[in-house]
Amino acid sequence: MNDIFRPFGPLDWILSRLPAVASWSLVGTVSPEDRSLSVLREISSGSRMSRAEFIRIEPDSRKNNPKFRVAFRQKLGLSDKIAEELGRRRLTVRAASILCREEALVEIARETLAACSENLVIDISAMPKRFFFPMLTLAIESNRFNNIVVTYTTPERYGDSLAEDPLPWNAFPMYGATPPGGETEVKLLIAVGYQPLKLEGILDGIRYRASNVELLLPFPSVHAGFIKNWEFILQIRRVLQGLPTSAIKRIATTNTPLAFDRIAAMTNFGKIHSVLAPFGPKPISLAMCLYGIACRQKDIPVEIGYTQPQVYSDSYSSGVAMANGKPLTNAFCVRLGGRNLYSV
């Protein structure tokens, strides 16, 4: 196992222990979710933020779904105004459609990072996985950044309906590696979430068998979320007949370093070709992203993908969870003093 110390904890606690870093550039997302602006609100109040580079995720213009679209745009406009007030002329916002082409998505990520200083905070709280995987990958693969911290804010509550109209399975930009040597079977690691969307589409075929699929169950989890997690598992087991109970592995919900170590161990540190499906909590998705980056650094092929929803609910989440009078925002150090903290 990797014995490098990989700090994580409350945002203010992490930043206070990096006193040599005078100010940070913040990359984030403007979205209808309240938590999308929580980190901007927290670090823009003092002198800790030099720049903020945000992406406004627009609903896809090709989808005509009045159920979410009108309220989504209204909340998006409100968040835009709040972000502008908080940014105080230090904020730049770039717009992108949720289903923009991969080339456009990567280019936006490059432009965003190019405007940032050497000390970088990437807030993934409301950033779709399709966006934050290439964003973080490009940041870590660049030599421009001396310190990189990833933040995640927990919402007060999730809505009943999160997303709909999922697309078929597709690899994220930069993570479409094919199995080496013509392998037809690979290990599939599924981070259990609330909705499997169209995940069953890749299970109903010859690529995966019950013996090479493992479900990463977030634990501990809040009661309501735990019920949805088991409903997710039941749907997978209906498609993948014969999946044993032993295939369900408990994995830390918010401890990204520990989740990374578990994922690395399950794949024998890259020796077992794997496909990762990050459907679970963002801190586990972050661990999968960091594992993918570590594999790229060693030229180990890995596929990471998703069944991207075409429409997100305007009430995907609401409010911001609080702890000791402050927003419940965890910060994960992924590079400190020019040294990457996650590797295989």
Side-chain angles (χ1 to χ4, degrees):
M1 284 293 179
N2 196 320
D3 59 357
I4 296 176
F5 178 51
R6 298 175 297 208
F8 78 100
L11 174 60
D12 59 342
W13 183 85
I14 289 291
L15 295 186
S16 68
R17 278 153 180 80
L18 298 171
V21 182
S23 62
W24 298 82
S25 290
L26 172 63
V27 170
T29 313
V30 176
S31 91
E33 296 185 72
D34 299 321
R35 61 175 172 169
S36 70
L37 303 180
S38 183
V39 174
L40 175 63
R41 181 175 283 108
E42 185 165 352
I43 73 170
S44 64
S45 57
S47 59
R48 291 187 296 189
M49 188 184 82
S50 58
R51 287 292 309 166
E53 301 290 327
F54 273 47
I55 301 175
R56 183 176 63 246
I57 309 295
E58 304 277 1
D60 183 54
S61 59
R62 293 168 292 180
K63 296 298 295 180
N64 184 21
N65 191 323
K67 179 181 177 182
F68 294 142
R69 179 173 296 278
V70 175
F72 189 101
R73 287 195 177 280
Q74 288 175 343
K75 290 184 178 180
L76 189 61
L78 178 60
S79 292
D80 220 352
K81 292 179 181 178
I82 296 173
E84 185 176 346
E85 293 172 0
L86 292 171
R88 299 175 184 174
R89 298 182 180 178
R90 293 173 292 172
L91 171 70
T92 299
V93 178
R94 296 172 176 83
S97 167
I98 184 62
L99 299 181
C100 67
R101 293 181 298 107
E102 290 189 5
E103 296 84 353
L105 191 157
V106 172
E107 182 58 29
I108 288 173
R110 292 187 191 279
E111 290 177 359
T112 299
L113 294 172
C116 296
S117 64
E118 64 174 352
N119 302 307
L120 181 66
V121 174
I122 300 179
D123 181 36
I124 65 172
S125 303
M127 190 177 294
K129 298 164 189 176
R130 183 172 183 257
F131 281 75
F132 96 68
F133 270 67
M135 181 73 73
L136 182 56
T137 302
L138 290 170
I140 292 181
E141 292 184 351
S142 169
N143 294 324
R144 291 186 56 245
F145 303 106
N146 194 43
N147 299 288
I148 302 175
V149 174
V150 177
T151 56
Y152 173 75
T153 301
T154 302
E156 185 176 10
R157 66 183 65 85
Y158 286 98
D160 294 329
S161 179
L162 303 182
E164 60 183 42
D165 293 340
L167 294 168
W169 171 272
N170 192 26
F172 288 137
M174 309 175 75
Y175 288 101
T178 56
E183 293 179 28
T184 57
E185 290 188 5
V186 296
K187 173 169 282 192
L188 173 63
L189 300 182
I190 302 172
V192 174
Y194 289 168
Q195 293 178 269
L197 303 172
K198 282 189 176 180
L199 180 59
E200 70 276 5
I202 67 167
L203 299 175
D204 190 15
I206 62 172
R207 193 181 190 193
Y208 304 108
R209 298 181 301 176
S211 60
N212 63 357
V213 174
E214 295 191 79
L215 305 178
L216 311 185
L217 174 66
F219 186 86
S221 180
V222 296
H223 179 67
F226 200 63
I227 293 172
K228 291 182 179 181
N229 289 155
W230 279 105
E231 290 173 349
F232 182 110
I233 291 173
L234 288 174
Q235 291 185 56
I236 297 302
R237 296 186 76 178
R238 290 192 192 104
V239 178
L240 203 62
Q241 297 293 326
L243 185 70
T245 304
S246 60
I248 304 171
K249 311 292 187 183
R250 289 186 296 182
I251 193 164
T253 304
T254 58
N255 189 331
T256 293
L258 183 57
F260 175 90
D261 287 339
R262 289 291 306 277
I263 292 165
M266 288 176 181
T267 61
N268 195 14
F269 303 92
K271 294 179 183 177
I272 300 173
H273 183 74
S274 58
V275 174
L276 308 184
F279 283 74
K282 282 279 182 68
I284 296 177
S285 297
L286 173 59
M288 287 187 163
C289 181
L290 291 167
Y291 174 77
I293 295 169
C295 286
R296 284 173 58 89
Q297 292 171 336
K298 292 289 185 68
D299 293 322
I300 299 171
V302 62
E303 179 182 338
I304 309 176
Y306 197 53
T307 55
Q308 175 63 50
Q310 299 181 72
V311 178
Y312 280 103
S313 170
D314 63 284
S315 56
Y316 186 98
S317 81
S318 59
V320 174
M322 306 294 288
N324 300 319
K326 291 191 173 183
L328 184 54
T329 299
N330 275 316
F332 305 90
C333 298
V334 300
R335 177 185 288 170
L336 291 178
R339 184 188 189 190
N340 292 334
L341 306 184
Y342 291 83
S343 61
V344 293

